[in-house]
Amino acid sequence: MMQAREKRGVAVVGGGPAGLAAAERLSETGQTVTVYEAMPAIGRKFLLAGKSGLNLTHSEDYARFVGRFGAATPRLMPALDAFTPDDLRAWALGLGSETFVGSSGRVFPMEMKASPLLRAWRRRLEDRGVAIRTRHRWLGLDGDALRLRFETPEGIVEERAEAVLLALGGASWPRLGSDGRWVAGLAAAQVSIAPFQPANCGFDVAWSEIFRERFAGAPVKSVVARSRMGSSQGEFVISRHGIEGSLVYGHAAALRDQLAEEGRAALILDLAPGRPVERLTQALAGQPARVSLSNRLRKAAGLDPVKIALVRDCAPETLTGDVARLAETLKALPIPLQRTRPIEEAISSAGGVRFEGLDGQFMLRDIPGLFLAGEMLDWEAPTGGYLLTACMATGRAAADGLASWLAARPAAVDD
């Protein structure tokens, strides 16, 4: 049975960081705001991200920061300029969460957890009159973008809004609400959408069974990785399926695109950073012939068991006694990749509504009154606080655009 409710001002559909940031900004402009969330609680992905330490943003130079968004930088720049990493830190402080900069330049709240910040955020929203309705799943466009239909525990509910802001997330972590189910509804309305792909993801590798059984779960530390993206130093983890972890995620977009374009890709590892190939060659050649290969690699190159096993598994042909060739391999060991891990496992997703369909205020050009924000837009960024910052920045920018659009409209006449 269909239930109709009275008009409730502005509707924000999606209770993640982008939607909540939009609702907060709209409440500052005096709008009557209702947030609708499909899940039983708001901010579920936000809370999960905070379990291992909530990375709010990054402290690097702002010019370098905005460059992390690649091709989407020009589209995102106005929103990021209006809500910079410093602004985000000031926002968190206003909610009682002082922040600090970690050794990697990432910014965290002092308590490290997401729950205190989310509780304070919700309290402030409700104090400003923002209504929050959970278990309200948006059922897509139905001719009139300002007529909203939701699936709820009580049945189908219909409401009307003066303007609508969608912040429905991408397609990673579907169990937390980011399931991409909104795509069909917008695509049916001729909205141009780039297909979703995993971002900040792991990759499958055809490990030998011996390697997999012995080293699944082992960290690979102090290596330099190279791809089309460039080079970076850090660590990653061997999984039963392949490779994952922060170092891999930083190269994920380049490797994913190379796999799609060429059908193959490899992450290139320098297993002995800081040791020139000439020195490695000399050190390997200087080992007594009776010394086993493992001990030779350990003593001459400083490799631990997992790095030695990587060489055995990925480049066994270089272990034939040619020390020059072996040294070159240690400086550029290719890890052949088969495919990305499923998007459901990815930290974030690439793809979404193309910016060409939006005006400068994040409103769909062909659907007046419908604004978009967050990960449902076609952009991606590495981990390190960039994702959260851009989600909140676009939420606030779309809210400003919505408020301006309402202010410019002729006064509405009720039916």
Side-chain angles (χ1 to χ4, degrees), residues 74-93:
R75 302 285 191 170
L76 294 174
M77 191 81 130
L80 293 167
D81 286 348
F83 191 69
T84 66
D86 286 342
D87 293 327
L88 195 155
R89 295 184 71 179
W91 168 84
L93 184 60

Side-chain angles (χ1 to χ4, degrees), residues 346-383:
I347 292 176
S348 59
S349 54
V353 175
R354 291 186 170 94
F355 281 98
E356 289 74 14
L358 302 176
D359 67 11
Q361 295 185 314
F362 291 88
M363 184 175 75
L364 283 169
R365 297 182 189 277
D366 296 333
I367 309 180
L370 186 60
F371 295 76
L372 308 181
E375 278 194 83
M376 66 185 300
L377 301 176
D378 183 17
W379 60 274
E380 64 178 309
T383 58

Side-chain angles (χ1 to χ4, degrees), residues 112-199:
M112 291 296 287
K113 299 178 182 178
S115 51
L117 186 58
L118 184 61
R119 283 196 301 269
W121 197 3
R122 177 166 187 157
R123 189 161 51 246
R124 182 157 75 184
L125 288 169
E126 292 177 336
D127 287 346
R128 292 180 175 177
V130 175
I132 297 176
R133 296 183 179 275
T134 57
R135 294 186 170 90
H136 277 60
R137 180 175 291 280
W138 183 63
L139 294 178
L141 295 175
D142 188 19
D144 181 353
L146 305 185
R147 184 164 66 90
L148 299 162
R149 297 171 68 249
F150 297 100
E151 179 185 359
T152 77
E154 291 74 41
I156 305 300
V157 168
E158 183 177 297
E159 298 193 7
R160 186 164 184 80
E162 297 173 68
V164 176
L165 193 154
L166 300 180
L168 295 166
S172 62
W173 295 95
R175 65 187 179 87
L176 300 178
S178 295
D179 55 17
R181 286 172 58 175
W182 55 265
V183 169
L186 290 188
Q190 307 304 309
V191 175
S192 180
I193 301 170
F196 277 121
Q197 303 178 78

Side-chain angles (χ1 to χ4, degrees), residues 78-360:
L80 293 167
D81 286 348
F83 191 69
T84 66
D86 286 342
D87 293 327
L88 195 155
R89 295 184 71 179
W91 168 84
L93 184 60
L95 288 172
S97 289
E98 188 176 350
T99 58
F100 72 95
V101 179
S103 58
S104 64
R106 300 183 181 200
V107 176
F108 302 89
M110 293 295 292
E111 62 270 27
M112 291 296 287
K113 299 178 182 178
S115 51
L117 186 58
L118 184 61
R119 283 196 301 269
W121 197 3
R122 177 166 187 157
R123 189 161 51 246
R124 182 157 75 184
L125 288 169
E126 292 177 336
D127 287 346
R128 292 180 175 177
V130 175
I132 297 176
R133 296 183 179 275
T134 57
R135 294 186 170 90
H136 277 60
R137 180 175 291 280
W138 183 63
L139 294 178
L141 295 175
D142 188 19
D144 181 353
L146 305 185
R147 184 164 66 90
L148 299 162
R149 297 171 68 249
F150 297 100
E151 179 185 359
T152 77
E154 291 74 41
I156 305 300
V157 168
E158 183 177 297
E159 298 193 7
R160 186 164 184 80
E162 297 173 68
V164 176
L165 193 154
L166 300 180
L168 295 166
S172 62
W173 295 95
R175 65 187 179 87
L176 300 178
S178 295
D179 55 17
R181 286 172 58 175
W182 55 265
V183 169
L186 290 188
Q190 307 304 309
V191 175
S192 180
I193 301 170
F196 277 121
Q197 303 178 78
N200 294 298
C201 60
F203 292 84
D204 287 345
V205 179
W207 300 131
S208 67
E209 194 58 33
I210 293 175
F211 181 87
R212 179 183 293 110
E213 289 301 321
R214 183 174 179 189
F215 292 103
V220 182
K221 299 183 177 181
S222 300
V223 295
V224 171
R226 297 202 314 272
S227 70
R228 287 178 175 179
M229 185 278 295
S231 63
S232 58
Q233 187 161 359
E235 63 182 72
F236 65 96
V237 176
I238 303 295
S239 72
R240 292 193 62 81
H241 302 288
I243 55 176
E244 58 186 37
S246 58
L247 186 61
V248 174
Y249 302 155
H251 292 267
L255 294 168
R256 177 199 67 214
D257 293 347
Q258 187 177 2
L259 277 168
E261 294 165 13
E262 302 177 9
R264 62 181 182 177
L267 184 65
I268 309 301
L269 298 181
D270 179 350
L271 299 177
R275 300 189 184 205
V277 67
E278 296 81 5
R279 280 177 48 196
L280 278 176
T281 302
Q282 292 172 3
L284 289 166
Q287 294 294 310
R290 66 178 182 278
V291 174
S292 69
L293 178 64
S294 293
N295 281 334
R296 185 176 304 148
L297 290 171
R298 178 176 60 83
K299 293 178 179 179
L303 302 194
D304 60 16
V306 67
K307 290 181 179 179
I308 295 170
L310 275 172
V311 179
R312 291 184 184 277
D313 219 55
C314 296
E317 70 281 0
T318 65
L319 305 176
T320 58
D322 184 340
V323 292
R325 185 184 183 193
L326 178 56
E328 290 174 354
T329 299
L330 299 184
K331 298 296 290 182
L333 176 69
I335 309 295
L337 309 177
Q338 295 179 303
R339 65 191 71 86
T340 63
R341 292 297 298 158
I343 196 168
E344 294 82 6
E345 297 178 12
I347 292 176
S348 59
S349 54
V353 175
R354 291 186 170 94
F355 281 98
E356 289 74 14
L358 302 176
D359 67 11

